Amino acid sequence: MVKIEGNVWRFGDNVDTDQIIPAERLVSSNLTYLNDFIFEKVRPGVSKEIKKGDILVAGKNFGCGSSREHAPLALIQAGFSCIVAESFARIFYRNSMNIGLLLVECKTDIKEGDAAEVCTDSGKIRDLDNGKEFGFQKYPPFITQLIECGGLINLIKEGKF
């Protein structure tokens, strides 16, 4: 079971990978600094405000654009534990799951700054500030295990594949 609790950051529809991490920031082989530049063109300074465990909530087609793996990696480095969106771009979805970033497809009206809880076991998202609940399709055991292990490479290293 994966259960996450954190503060919500709200974004809209069609957030592309260049908005998440601009392409010009990907010129180094040192990827440990990506979180410094997350959303810098659409919400300058937000990287300094995100706390470990926070939850990003977005609209439709989150992660569209380039297929680079840097975007979900930057979201993890910034501190996001989960991305909730109405829908995800297919390649972004696969890249995220492969590196252990929990993605949940669900339409919610949770507001930025609210505290939320995401539970993969129950298939529920709760807005802890106003008690609203939103349901999503539960993951099969393999996907839950993939997320719990921190991605595909860790799953293989642990001999669980």
Side-chain angles (χ1 to χ4, degrees):
M1 171 176 78
V2 178
K3 190 173 187 179
I4 292 168
E5 189 175 317
N7 289 321
V8 168
W9 293 88
R10 191 76 198 205
F11 286 82
D13 294 338
N14 302 309
V15 174
D16 67 39
T17 54
D18 281 326
Q19 291 172 5
I20 297 169
I21 184 74
E24 62 267 18
R25 297 298 187 179
L26 307 177
V27 294
S28 170
S29 60
N30 177 4
L31 302 179
T32 60
Y33 70 95
L34 291 177
N35 59 309
D36 293 341
F37 307 108
I38 195 163
F39 297 114
E40 74 175 339
K41 291 189 175 184
V42 292
R43 290 181 73 176
V46 75
S47 67
K48 292 175 180 31
E49 298 175 38
I50 299 166
K51 304 285 187 266
K52 186 167 177 59
D54 282 352
I55 298 168
L56 190 152
V57 176
K60 298 174 189 164
N61 200 27
F62 187 86
C64 57
S66 169
S67 63
R68 70 177 79 97
E69 198 173 73
H70 298 82
L73 182 60
L75 292 167
I76 290 172
Q77 286 181 357
F80 289 111
S81 58
C82 178
I83 312 299
V84 176
E86 283 185 61
S87 63
F88 293 93
R90 181 184 60 81
I91 295 173
F92 178 86
Y93 189 90
R94 288 295 301 264
N95 284 340
S96 297
M97 289 301 210
N98 284 340
I99 64 171
L101 176 59
L102 176 62
L103 302 183
V104 172
E105 283 191 342
C106 182
K107 182 177 181 176
T108 75
D109 63 0
I110 299 173
K111 294 183 179 26
E112 184 161 322
D114 283 0
E117 176 185 83
V118 177
C119 181
T120 59
D121 216 27
S122 67
K124 300 272 186 211
I125 300 170
R126 286 188 333 126
D127 184 331
L128 299 174
D129 288 339
N130 67 31
K132 284 186 180 180
E133 280 193 353
F134 307 90
F136 62 91
Q137 185 174 355
K138 294 184 208 178
Y139 286 111
F142 172 75
I143 298 298
T144 300
Q145 186 180 30
L146 182 70
I147 298 300
E148 288 174 343
C149 285
L152 189 57
I153 299 298
N154 291 338
L155 188 69
I156 293 167
K157 283 181 182 176
E158 292 180 18
K160 296 180 178 178
F161 186 70

